Every structure is written in structure tokens, then in C-alpha cells.
């Protein structure tokens, strides 16, 4: 069938997007055809668009790793879904379009009470907060954590979730408005790292003790300062690079800052199996249904405006989650 997609022929700046008709085949074995209802925007989409992450298929590149959809056609050997089911997914790329085919085992059925908007705004980001706080490092009551970019898509969800667990939650943000929003979303202490030295502030807040874990998606600009915020034997979790990749990391830096632990995690390893994906999604939906997480959708644009949305995201002009309307 013919559908519309916002795609990129050559990796490049946000102006590289081109809104075009594309042809998609019939769904193959184990696949269903989806009609998107709402598309989530994530920083990872900018990495594929710019070429920072190599696109694993022949161009054109179709970014997009999060969406809600209606199942409109079943391929052969699909027995866990029906036409008309409402589903949500998170996966590496391909969501910036109106229709697509997808393996049915990567789809999660949406609970009736969960809206398309909310689910598309929190599937990738919420599952990321889930694995960071429960998997990579198991945050417990009494822990103190530092989460950079606290008013971002992942940051707003992680602040609420860590607060719900019972941790003391410190966040960094890049403006006064973002600070106010982070405070409303679980952060006990907020540091504007464009104006304040965040290492000094963390040491003041923790009375010199340092934090148990730092979640750092900013990358280049916050390295190696994040290491200086940690307790001895603390955990440094560099999980993104919004300001650019870290260039000068050496293993000996971990020893120099107190025998620290680290990993460079990716959501897609934590939800690689169908069982892990379904279990993590169930826990995310329970947090939403229990009223422990509110999802802030601060930007919503038509799919054809993906270039503008990427520009806003890369220039630190967004707060919370961003959606594209197919
Ligand atoms: N590894 C994983 O599994 C995984 C999964 C999801 C997301 N991530 C990573 O987590 C990060 C957050 O993703 P998101 O989609 O929720 O994005 P986001 O946090 O909504 O947006 C990025 C934020 O990073 C901050 N930032 C600091 N320096 C920046 C710079 N030089 N350029 C741009 N932004 C800068 C900005 O907030 P301030 O203005 O407040 O500084 C900006 O709003 C991204 O790095 C993403 O790659 C990783």
C-alpha cells in the first residue's frame, strides 16, 4: 500500500527531512500492519537522522522509536493480535510514518483507559526510567540519586518514579522554567547547571557524602564532573549523549574517583525478549494507573514537521514529551 513518511535520504541536519509517499509491502510471517495513531519523539531519533548512529538498513532513514497504533492487517502466523487492537511499541527506528509493518511480538496491547497520546509519550521514556531505576542500579528508599536533564522526556518520568521508590532525588536542568517543572515531577532538589556548579551543589545537598548513582544522558558537557558527585563505590550510568559523545573516558578515571562502577546501557537490551517487554510494560502501566506518574506532553506537531521538532529538541527548547501526529 501507499502511505506517507517523513524520511531522510542522507544523514544530516534537521532540514534533511522530506515528507513523501512510500510503498509498504503486505505484512510478512509474524508481522502485522499498523496504522499509527500517535508517534513519540526521542533523542535517539536525532542520532539516526544525523548519522551519529549508523542506520542498519539501506537509506532512506525513517527515524522514530515509539508509537501507538491500530492493527489493520494480520500477516501469516500471527495469533496473539486481532485487527482493530490498539497497541504500543518501542523499537529502534521506522515510526515517522502513517502505516508500517511490525513483528507482532514487539507490540504491547494498550489497556483501555490508557490514551494513545499518553502511551506514545511514555513507552520508550517510561521503560527507560524503569530499567535505569530497577535494573541498571536498583534504587531503594534511602538512596540519593542525581539525574541530569531532569525536565526532559525521560527526566520527568524518572524523577517521579525515583521519588515514588523513596529515594532523595536531585536533578539538573537548563532553565528556571525547567527547574519549576522538575520540582513538580518528583525532584527534591533542582540545580540549574547553566548557572550553578552542579558538583558543588550536590556536595552541599549531600553534606559532602555524594550520591549513590548518577544517571547521565548529557554526555560530553557533564563528563568528568558527574564522577565527582559520587560516593566511593558509587554507580555512574552514562546512558545518552545529548551534548555529544564523551571523548576522553579512561578506565583509570573510575579508580581515581573512588572505585566507581559503570555500564553504558541501552533500553533495547533490557526489553529484548517478549517476556521482558511485556513485564516491564505491565509495571509501567501499573505506575500510570496507580496515579504515580503523570506524563507531560509539552510539544505536539504534525508528522510533516519532524524537522522543526528535531531542531527544538537539539536546542534544549523542549520540556517533557514530544509527539508527532500522523
Ligand atoms: N540508553 C538508553 O536506553 C536511552 C533511552 C532513552 C533515552 N536515552 C538518552 O536519554 C537522553 C534523554 O532523551 P529524551 O528523548 O528524554 O530527551 P530530552 O531529555 O527531552 O532532551 C534532551 C535534554 O538534554 C539536555 N541537554 C543538555 N545539554 C544539551 C545539549 N548540548 N544539547 C541538547 N540537549 C542538552 C537538555 O535539557 P536541559 O536544557 O535541561 O539541559 C535537553 O532538553 C538522550 O541523551 C537519549 O539519547 C537513552
Amino acid at each position: 500500500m501507499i502511505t506517507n513518511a517523513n524520511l531522510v535520504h542522507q544523514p544530516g541536519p534537521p532540514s534533511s527531512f522530506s515528507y513523501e509517499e512510500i510503498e509498504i509491502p503486505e505484512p510478512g510471517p509474524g508481522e502485522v500492519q499498523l496504522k499509527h495513531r500517535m508517534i513519540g519523539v526521542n533523542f535517539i531519533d536525532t542520532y539516526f537522522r544525523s548519522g551519529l548512529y549508523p542506520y542498519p538498513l539501506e537509506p532512506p532513514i525513517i527515524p522514530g522509536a515509539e508509537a501507538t497504533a491500530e492493527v489493520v492487517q494480520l500477516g501469516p502466523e500471527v495469533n496473539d493480535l486481532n485487527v482493530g487492537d490498539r497497541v504500543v511499541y518501542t523499537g529502534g527506528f521506522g515510526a515517522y510514518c502513517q502505516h508500517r509493518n511490525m513483528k507482532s511480538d514487539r507490540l504491547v496491547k494498550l489497556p483501555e483507559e490508557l490514551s494513545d497520546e499518553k502511551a506514545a509519550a511514555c513507552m520508550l521514556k517510561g521503560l527507560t526510567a524503569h530499567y535505569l531505576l530497577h535494573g541498571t542500579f536498583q534504587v531503594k528508599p534511602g538512596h540519593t540519586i542525581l539525574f541530569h536533564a531532569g525536565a526532559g522526556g525521560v527526566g520527568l518520568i524518572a524523577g517521579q518514579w525515583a521519588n515514588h521508590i523513596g529515594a532523595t532525588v536531585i536533578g539538573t536542568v537548563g532553565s528556571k522554567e525547567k527547574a519549576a517543572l522538575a520540582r513538580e515531577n518528583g525532584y527534591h532538589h533542582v540545580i540549574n547547571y547553566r548557572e550553578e556548579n552542579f558538583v558543588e551543589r550536590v556536595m552541599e545537598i549531600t553534606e559532602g557524602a555524594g550520591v549513590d548513582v548518577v544517571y547521565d544522558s548529557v554526555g560530553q558537557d557533564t563528563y568528568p564532573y558527574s564522577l565527582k558527585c559520587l560516593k566511593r563505590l558509587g554507580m555512574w550510568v552514562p546512558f545518552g549523549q545529548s551534548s555529544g559523545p564523551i571523548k576522553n573516558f579512561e578506565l583509570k578515571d573510575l579508580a581515581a574517583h573512588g572505585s566507581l562502577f559503570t555500564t553504558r546501557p541501552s533500553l533495547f537490551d533490557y526489553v529484548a525478549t517478549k517476556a521482558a517487554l511485556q513485564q516491564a510494560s505491565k509495571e509501567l502501566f501499573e505506575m500510570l494507573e496507580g496515579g504515580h506518574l503523570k506524563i507531560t506532553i509539552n510539544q505536539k506537531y504534525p508528522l510533516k514537521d519532524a524537522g522543526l521538532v528535531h531542531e527544538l529538541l537539539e536546542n534544549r527548547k523542549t520540556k517533557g514529551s514530544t509527539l508527532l501526529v500522523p
Side-chain angles (χ1 to χ4, degrees), residues 41-44 47 124-125 128 131 149-155 172-175 178 193-194 217-218 221 239-243 264-268 313-318 320:
V41 176
N42 293 280
F43 221 91
I44 191 173
Y47 304 148
L124 190 153
K125 299 159 189 79
T128 299
Y131 90 75
V154 177
T172 56
V173 297
S175 72
K178 289 185 179 187
Y193 51 8
R194 284 178 145 177
S217 65
V218 173
D221 287 357
F239 72 101
Q241 54 263 309
S242 302
S243 67
R264 173 49 175 97
S266 165
L267 166 64
F268 305 116
L313 192 58
E314 289 177 303
N315 286 296
R316 308 171 76 164
K317 300 253 169 64
T318 62

Side-chain angles (χ1 to χ4, degrees), residues 90-306:
T90 177
F93 46 85
Y96 286 9
C97 59
Q98 289 176 331
H99 297 81
R100 74 177 299 180
N101 295 333
M102 190 135 194
K103 288 280 183 201
S104 70
D105 62 4
R106 300 317 295 161
L107 300 169
V108 178
K109 277 196 204 177
L110 272 180
E112 227 170 82
E113 58 285 357
L114 188 53
S115 72
D116 294 318
E117 291 206 355
K118 210 189 228 189
C122 79
M123 185 66 171
L124 190 153
K125 299 159 189 79
L127 294 182
T128 299
H130 174 265
Y131 90 75
L132 289 173
L133 302 173
H134 291 290
T136 307
F137 181 90
Q138 293 187 15
V139 175
K140 303 276 184 226
H143 280 146
T144 302
I145 79 164
L146 173 62
F147 207 102
H148 285 303
V154 177
L156 285 185
I157 298 174
Q160 297 172 76
W161 207 322
N163 183 308
H164 178 72
I165 292 170
T168 298
V169 193
I170 307 173
T172 56
V173 297
S175 72
K176 270 201 188 80
E177 297 73 35
K178 289 185 179 187
L181 188 60
R183 273 190 207 97
E184 288 162 19
N185 285 270
Y187 289 88
H188 300 100
H189 306 275
V190 181
I191 304 166
N192 181 341
Y193 51 8
R194 284 178 145 177
E195 291 180 352
E196 300 173 279
N197 177 318
F198 73 82
V199 180
E200 284 173 16
R201 285 286 295 123
V202 165
M203 285 304 161
E204 265 168 40
I205 292 164
T206 61
E207 297 176 346
V211 299
D212 297 279
V213 55
V214 178
Y215 294 105
D216 191 343
S217 65
V218 173
Q220 186 171 249
D221 287 357
T222 43
Y223 188 80
Y225 313 106
S226 290
L227 303 187
K228 300 177 196 290
C229 297
L230 280 158
K231 283 181 182 166
R232 188 171 281 141
L233 308 189
M235 176 69 134
W236 172 54
V237 186
F239 72 101
Q241 54 263 309
S242 302
S243 67
I246 294 169
K247 294 197 183 87
N248 48 352
F249 169 69
E250 292 193 51
L251 270 182
K252 67 178 167 56
D253 299 345
L254 300 177
H257 291 88
S259 301
L260 303 177
F261 292 84
T262 193
T263 170
R264 173 49 175 97
S266 165
L267 166 64
F268 305 116
D269 289 315
Y270 284 83
V271 294
T273 65
K274 182 174 178 177
L277 173 66
Q278 297 292 336
Q279 180 59 32
S281 303
K282 182 171 164 281
E283 291 175 31
L284 171 62
F285 297 162
E286 282 169 359
M287 285 290 289
L288 291 164
E289 281 158 24
H292 308 303
L293 294 179
K294 60 176 189 284
I295 305 302
T296 302
I297 302 165
N298 216 51
Q299 303 74 217
K300 191 167 139 192
Y301 290 87
L303 173 59
K304 66 176 176 41
D305 291 342

